[in-house]
Amino acid sequence: MKHMIGLLLAAGLFVRLFVFYQIDFMFENDILTFQIWASQLAAEGLSGFYTGGMWSDYPPGYLYILALAGVLRGAFEWGFLSPAFNFITFLPAMLADLAIGYVIWRLTRKVSRYALLFAALWVFNPAIILISSVWGQVESVFLLPLFISLALLREKRLLPSYILYGVAILIKPQSLFLGPVYLFSAFDYWRGYRYAWPELKRLGLYVLAAVGGMLLLAFPFTQRYNYMPVFRQFFGGLDLYNFGTVNAFNLWALAGRNWRPLDARFMGITHAVWGVVIAVLIVILTLVFLEADKKRGGRNYWLIVAAVFVLTFVFSVKMHERYFFPAILFLLMYAAEKPRWYTVGLFGAACTTFFINCFAVLHAFNASGYWWESQMLTRFTAPVSWANIGIVCGLVIIMIGGLNECRRK
């Protein structure tokens, strides 16, 4: 079987390269931004990036990869948006796609004879290929360490899990959505040792190791040991897109709140307050279902992880269209462990709505005229938003069914 996964990944790379070279549909502004950052990092060094007046909404994690791309550009004298420089800019996300496919195979072969099929459902998924090979975005790059971290967390290997979680946060702060999952893991670990003080100290050391790893990775971006510019960029990046929704087809899009500021009111309450209330509810729901699933042996682990992203995307404010991306992977993992028509159907529905949302936004960005008036964007907002709400309903029905089963036992 090992040679089969190798062939599958090689075929997946071929498909991505074919799509990259044949489909001229990328959003040049995003790619040019990456390439300017890469050149700046190579020319000025890491320590001057956040203090040199360069605008950036990315934390340090992915900038290491861009710095390498900038060094290659300087060595080969590639121009901005040249074919070679574009290829190097797109390549990390393509490779991360394939690495995730390999991890899917490694994990699912323990529980399913169809491990290769589930890896293929990721590797050849049009929604995934659209993001990495057409748009050139890097969702897979942060999802790779996050995925491995979650797998380790499930096996109660907390130290490497927490360290990788810190790496994922430094690449994309959306990893913070899963904070309740990691919080529950810490509490469950301590509870398993009857709340013993030595184990609490051990947990504290694990957390310190993860934070220390993050500080170590961020250190080259500091000047004279001053982390403040890095901190300001990180928290400032979290505060950049203060709108009801940012092209995400969700509840707020249905309410006509796309690009409406956070201080605007909905039902007499500002978007910002709604965001806090919804975040608290999602945290509570996550902890409740994790506790219930713990009593069932953790059979719905991947479903609950997926639900965090789905619920956040559909109901919370400040959502981008790509924030749904991780849910696709975790719904696929749940379907692999529990292959039923409804689990596979839920995965398929998520892939479809995500693809349409991202394709519509990308099409709007590439259209002439005002992008927010694009027919592709306006035509699909309502039906896809309703479909995403339907996905939420499906998730809730499955999880409540599991909770009721737990209570009957």
Side-chain angles (χ1 to χ4, degrees), residues 98-158:
L98 302 178
I100 291 172
Y102 177 78
V103 177
I104 292 171
W105 174 75
R106 282 291 300 269
L107 293 177
T108 57
R109 67 176 181 164
K110 301 175 182 178
V111 296
S112 172
R113 70 173 79 175
Y114 303 111
L116 201 64
L117 172 61
F118 287 106
L121 287 174
W122 173 267
V123 170
F124 298 111
N125 193 315
I128 308 307
I129 295 171
L130 174 72
I131 300 303
S132 62
S133 303
V134 179
W135 200 332
Q137 291 294 340
V138 299
E139 265 59 33
S140 285
V141 178
F142 95 89
L143 188 55
L144 177 60
L146 182 62
F147 184 26
I148 298 172
S149 171
L150 287 164
L152 292 170
L153 192 71
R154 194 183 196 187
E155 297 174 357
K156 301 188 183 303
R157 297 167 63 183
L158 300 191

Side-chain angles (χ1 to χ4, degrees), residues 184-206:
F184 180 84
S185 75
F187 172 76
D188 189 53
Y189 171 86
W190 190 34
R191 177 174 58 182
Y193 284 93
R194 300 175 183 269
Y195 308 103
W197 173 247
E199 297 307 323
L200 182 60
K201 290 194 294 183
R202 186 189 299 273
L203 267 177
L205 290 175
Y206 290 168

